[in-house]
Amino acid sequence: MAKYSAAIVSHNLWFNEFNIYMNYIIDGKTEAEVNELSDNENILQAKTPTRARQISRILGHRVNALPQSIKDLYPSLDIENQKIVDFVGVMQCSQLLSEFMYEVYRDELILGDMKLEDSEIQAFITRKQGESEQVAGWTDKTIHRLKASFKTFLRETGLISNEKDGVADLVTPIFLDDRLIQIMKDEKLEYELSSLKG
C-alpha cells in the first residue's frame, strides 16, 4: 500500500535554491557539506536559520533522488529543462504528487483537453481518500492546501498557466530536451517521463 505524505504543502519548487544546491553538488561537495554551508553561511538566502535548514534538507532529498546521469547533464540544460529536473526530484520524493501527475496531468496531454480544472484535482484527492485511510484522515484544511500546492508546483515549473477567466489552468507542456528524455528512459524513469509527455 502506498505511503502518502502531505508535507509538500509547506514546500515550493525553490528553483533558485535548487540550482545553487545542485551546482555545489556538481562541483564535488557532499550533501552534508552543502547543508553545513546553508546552516553557517546562508548560501540559499533563506529568511531565518530555521528556514535555511528546512529548505536545504528538502533540496538534499530531491538531489539525492536524482540519478547521477541527470546531475551530470543538468548544467547543459536550458532553464525550462532544469526546472523539470527539479520537479522530477519533487516527484521522486512525493508519491502523491507523482501519482497526480500520472493520473491527472498525463490524461490532459493524452486527451488533448489541455485545461486543468479544480474539480479534476478534487476528484483525484477523493479517489485517494477512498484508497487510503491515511489520506481519508487528512483535514479539509490540509486537502485545500494540498490542491493549491499541486497547482503552485505546476505553475512554477511552467507546466500550467493561469487562464484569464480563472475557471481553469491551461496545460502548457514544456519541450523536453532529447538528452533528458533518453536519460530518463535509461534510468527507468518512464513513469515520470510519461507523466510529463503523455
Side-chain angles (χ1 to χ4, degrees):
M1 188 179 211
K3 290 186 77 174
Y4 298 113
S5 168
I8 62 166
V9 300
S10 62
H11 303 178
N12 285 304
L13 190 68
W14 291 320
F15 175 67
N16 290 335
E17 294 87 342
F18 175 85
N19 192 50
I20 291 167
Y21 200 107
M22 179 69 99
N23 282 315
Y24 274 108
I25 295 294
I26 290 165
D27 287 344
K29 296 281 188 200
T30 65
E31 182 183 350
E33 287 171 333
V34 181
N35 288 342
E36 190 175 337
L37 285 169
S38 176
D39 292 349
N40 298 331
E41 298 179 27
N42 196 21
I43 58 167
L44 303 179
Q45 300 296 302
K47 290 181 179 175
T48 66
T50 301
R51 193 65 170 155
R53 184 175 179 80
Q54 180 196 25
I55 293 172
S56 66
R57 276 31 174 207
I58 292 164
L59 293 179
H61 289 307
R62 273 186 213 172
V63 171
N64 260 340
L66 295 167
Q68 186 60 47
S69 54
I70 289 183
K71 295 175 201 174
D72 292 341
L73 177 66
Y74 182 83
S76 68
L77 294 170
D78 62 24
I79 289 175
E80 281 191 334
N81 278 268
Q82 287 182 339
K83 286 183 178 179
I84 289 291
V85 169
D86 186 357
F87 189 67
V88 168
V90 178
M91 284 197 286
Q92 293 284 87
C93 295
S94 172
Q95 178 77 24
L96 195 64
L97 180 63
S98 184
E99 290 180 14
F100 170 77
M101 287 299 294
Y102 191 83
E103 295 174 23
V104 181
Y105 187 85
R106 176 175 166 267
D107 273 3
E108 298 295 330
L109 301 176
I110 291 171
L111 299 174
D113 176 49
M114 307 305 275
K115 285 187 180 182
L116 182 62
E117 311 270 354
D118 283 356
S119 59
E120 293 171 304
I121 303 174
Q122 181 59 57
F124 168 79
I125 298 290
T126 301
R127 191 161 65 247
K128 295 303 167 187
Q129 287 174 317
E131 296 169 1
S132 165
E133 287 182 17
Q134 184 185 13
V135 180
W138 291 345
T139 65
D140 288 345
K141 183 179 178 182
T142 297
I143 296 299
H144 179 75
R145 290 180 66 198
L146 195 60
K147 291 189 289 187
S149 181
F150 283 174
K151 290 202 289 187
T152 298
F153 270 105
L154 290 171
R155 285 185 189 128
E156 289 180 349
T157 308
L159 294 170
I160 62 172
S161 61
N162 288 89
E163 192 169 27
K164 289 174 187 166
D165 64 12
V167 175
D169 286 280
L170 293 174
V171 172
T172 52
I174 287 170
F175 181 78
L176 295 180
D177 190 296
D178 288 340
R179 297 168 299 165
L180 181 58
I181 292 171
Q182 189 56 55
I183 285 175
M184 289 181 74
K185 289 177 180 175
D186 294 344
E187 296 288 354
K188 308 290 187 286
L189 295 174
E190 285 98 342
Y191 185 87
E192 291 81 0
L193 182 59
S194 182
S195 298
L196 294 164
K197 281 183 64 69

